[in-house]
Amino acid sequence: MTLTVSTPAAQGVAATDVLAFLDAVEAADGIQPHSLTIVRHDRVVATGCWAPYTPERRRLLYSVSKSFTATAAGLALAEGLIRLDDPVISYFPELDAEITDPRSRAMLVRHVASMASGHEAETLDRARALGGGDLVRGFLLVPPDRDPGTVFAYNQPATFTLAAILQRVTGQTLTDYLRPRLLDPLGIGDVTWLTDRSGRQLGFSGLHAPADALARLGLLYLRRGVWDGERLLSPQWVAEATRAHIATAGVMAGDDRQDWDRGYGFQFWRSRHGYRADGAYGQFALVLPEHDAVIALTAATVDMQGLLHLVWDRLLPAFRAAPPPGQDDAEAALAERLAGLALPPAPGKPAPPERAGHRSGAAFTRSGGDGADQPGLRGATVTEDDDGWRLTLQEEGHSLRLPLGPGGWTVHERPLPVAVSGGWSDGDTLAVDVQFLETPHRLRVACSRAEGTFTARWHTTPLHPGPLTSLRASR
C-alpha cells in the first residue's frame, strides 16, 4: 500500500517549521541524518532521504527490531499461542530441571516483554558466557537480582527470550510469521533479520527494513491496530504495549535522559510526547497521539537525546490546529529541499596533486596507535588503473575494494552496498569516508604515504561485531 501524500498546510503542518528542523539537524554537531518522514492525519506531508541513502534500500534499525518483536507477540496473543502470565520456563521444558533459581522460575512472559525480568543490569555478556550457545539458557541461568516485575533493566536477552518463545510456538521465524499478518498488509517490502548460531532471529536487534517501515509501524499503532480499514492488532494490545509497565527514571546512564525516564511498555518507550520505537544511533518511530502524527527518523548519532530535543523544539510547533496561512513559498522551498537532501561528501581530489613519486600498489600498515576501531582491519593498499585510484582494505581473509569517484559520493553495490567519498588532500595523504548503506555506519580511513601507515575511525561503532563485509542485510 502506498501511503497517501498531502501538502503540509492541508494537514495543518507549517512548512516553515519543517524547514527550520532540517536546518537545525543538518547544522547539529555529531548528528548525521539519513531519512525523515512526517505523517499527519494519515497523510505523508514530508519525506526525504539524505543521499547516498535512498528510500527503498533496507537499513539496520537496531532496537526498533524490539517493537516488531512485540507486535508479533500481540498477534500471537490474539491467536492464543502465548499468554502473558505464563512462566517463561514453561515454554522451554528441556531447561526445567536446570533452572532452579526461584526468581528465574517466577519470571513471566510479561516480564521479559517489559524489560522487568528482575535483573538490575544488562545480562548479554553473562548469558552468552553461561549459555553454551543457547542465549535463552544463559539468560535463565543468570539469577535475577530482585523479584521479576519490580525493577527495569534494558536487557537484550529478555527480548531474545520473547522472540524465542514466539518462534517456538509458531514454528516459524519472526519474519515468516509477520509476513502475512503485518509486513504484507502494511506494504513493507523485503526485510531480513540477523540470526544467532541456532538459526533463531535475534528479536532484540538485527532487523533490516526500508525506512518507511518505521512510519508504517507507527501509523498502525497510532490507529490502534487498524490499517486501511482492516484490524491487524487488537486495541487492547496497542494500549498495553504503549503504556508504562515499569518505571525507568534514574536507572539509565547519562546526564540528559529526559526521553528515557518516562517508563517502558512492551518493547516501546514512553516519551515526553507520546511514545516511540527506538533504535541505536537515532532510528525512531515517534507516535504522537496528541498531534495525530508520526515522525519517522533514521540517523547516525551518539546524541540520541539531542536529536529528540531538535524534534520537540523545531518540529512539534509545525503541528497546528488549522492550516497555517501564507505557506505557498515555504512549501515550494520544502519540496525542493527534500528532493535535494544529501550528506556532505568528504573533501579530497581524485588524484594526487603531484604525480611524481606515486606508484600503484602502495601498501599501508595499521598505525601503531590505532588499535581501537575495527581491530581485524590489518592492511590497506592504494592502486591506480585506467579507471582511477582504488583503496583496498584487508581484513582477516576478506578484502574490500573501494574505487574512488571523481567527486561527491560514489555508490558501489558489490561486494556490499557502500558509498565512497574523499580523496587526496595532498601528495602524501589519502582520506576516504566509507558509508555502509544498509547500516547507519561510516568509516573514515586515512593513509599516509610518508609514514606508510593508515588509520580507521568509526563515526558510530557497529554494535554487531564482524568483518566489514558483514555490514549489510543478509541475503
Side-chain angles (χ1 to χ4, degrees):
M1 172 185 169
T2 301
L3 294 173
T4 304
V5 176
S6 171
T7 63
Q11 307 306 322
V13 177
T16 49
D17 291 321
V18 181
L19 285 165
F21 171 76
L22 295 176
D23 289 340
V25 78
E26 289 185 339
D29 185 35
I31 296 177
Q32 184 188 102
H34 293 165
S35 70
L36 168 70
T37 299
I38 303 172
V39 182
R40 196 178 197 207
H41 304 329
D42 299 337
R43 302 291 187 268
V44 175
V45 298
T47 188
C49 281
W50 278 260
Y53 286 91
T54 55
E56 69 282 353
R57 191 184 294 279
R58 293 171 296 180
R59 73 274 312 276
L60 176 59
L61 300 181
Y62 276 119
S63 284
V64 170
S65 308
K66 293 179 172 72
S67 300
F68 280 88
T69 298
T71 304
L75 294 165
L77 182 68
E79 294 175 7
L81 299 176
I82 64 170
R83 293 182 297 184
L84 293 176
D85 291 317
D86 282 345
V88 168
I89 190 63
S90 69
Y91 291 92
F92 304 99
E94 72 277 14
L95 301 176
D96 185 74
E98 191 174 6
I99 306 305
T100 59
D101 183 88
R103 287 173 171 163
S104 292
R105 296 187 66 85
M107 196 186 305
L108 307 180
V109 173
R110 67 169 62 252
H111 296 143
V112 293
S114 58
M115 296 291 187
S117 62
H119 299 96
E120 293 181 335
E122 171 70 72
T123 66
L124 183 58
D125 290 342
R126 288 177 288 166
R128 282 175 172 162
L130 291 172
D134 183 346
L135 192 58
V136 172
R137 176 176 177 267
F139 173 60
L140 293 175
L141 284 172
V142 178
D145 306 285
R146 291 163 60 179
D147 290 341
T150 63
V151 62
F152 171 86
Y154 198 64
N155 195 353
Q156 313 307 320
T159 313
F160 182 89
T161 299
L162 177 63
I165 290 170
L166 295 170
Q167 290 171 95
R168 175 161 289 196
V169 299
T170 64
Q172 297 177 284
T173 63
L174 294 171
T175 49
D176 285 345
Y177 180 66
L178 287 173
R179 174 58 61 193
R181 295 166 176 84
L182 181 80
L183 302 177
D184 284 345
L186 264 56
I188 295 174
D190 191 20
V191 305
T192 63
W193 214 316
L194 295 180
T195 62
D196 74 344
R197 287 182 293 175
S198 71
R200 290 180 293 197
Q201 293 178 336
L202 296 184
F204 63 84
S205 186
L207 178 64
H208 289 77
D212 77 347
L214 292 165
R216 292 169 185 268
L217 182 70
L219 187 56
L220 174 68
Y221 274 81
L222 180 67
R223 290 290 160 255
R224 296 180 61 78
V226 173
W227 182 267
D228 198 25
E230 178 185 358
R231 176 159 296 285
L232 303 181
L233 287 171
S234 75
Q236 293 82 8
W237 172 259
V238 172
E240 282 294 292
T242 60
R243 73 172 179 88
H245 287 264
I246 191 78
T248 58
V251 299
M252 298 291 287
D255 295 330
D256 185 3
R257 305 289 299 186
Q258 294 181 50
D259 284 288
W260 279 263
D261 285 349
R262 307 284 166 154
Y264 197 75
F266 288 154
Q267 312 292 298
F268 284 88
W269 289 91
R270 295 295 306 179
S271 298
R272 281 177 289 166
H273 304 276
Y275 57 88
R276 69 188 189 278
D278 178 316
Y281 300 127
Q283 326 314 312
F284 290 124
L286 309 174
V287 183
L288 308 172
E290 64 270 37
H291 297 289
D292 195 34
V294 173
I295 299 171
L297 283 163
T298 64
T301 182
V302 295
D303 186 13
M304 293 171 64
Q305 184 64 79
L307 178 54
L308 288 176
H309 282 324
L310 290 179
V311 172
W312 307 146
D313 294 344
R314 301 303 180 98
L315 268 184
L316 280 196
F319 300 124
R320 313 289 180 88
Q327 290 284 306
D328 289 351
D329 290 346
E331 292 201 344
L334 177 60
E336 182 178 0
R337 179 78 170 273
L338 291 169
L341 294 174
L343 298 176
K349 301 179 186 300
E354 298 178 4
R355 302 299 296 272
H358 289 277
R359 59 187 176 85
S360 180
F364 301 84
T365 59
R366 192 72 181 258
S367 171
D370 187 57
D373 289 6
Q374 203 63 21
L377 194 54
R378 305 299 187 192
T381 305
V382 176
T383 57
E384 184 186 20
D385 57 27
D386 292 341
D387 295 323
W389 291 86
R390 181 189 306 269
L391 172 67
T392 302
L393 302 176
Q394 291 94 31
E395 181 182 28
E396 298 177 348
H398 302 274
S399 64
L400 182 59
R401 290 187 290 274
L402 303 168
L404 306 182
W409 291 100
T410 302
V411 175
H412 306 286
E413 297 294 339
R414 295 186 178 184
L416 75 165
V418 297
V420 181
S421 68
W424 298 90
S425 58
D426 55 44
D428 284 327
T429 305
L430 175 70
V432 174
D433 278 5
V434 186
Q435 194 83 43
F436 293 83
L437 294 176
E438 292 182 335
T439 80
H441 302 300
R442 180 189 291 194
L443 184 69
R444 169 156 287 192
V445 180
C447 300
S448 169
R449 194 174 72 89
E451 301 293 333
T453 61
F454 76 96
T455 60
R457 287 283 182 266
W458 288 109
H459 172 64
T460 53
T461 305
L463 299 183
H464 299 294
L468 295 176
T469 50
S470 70
L471 292 170
R472 62 177 302 169
S474 58
R475 297 298 192 265

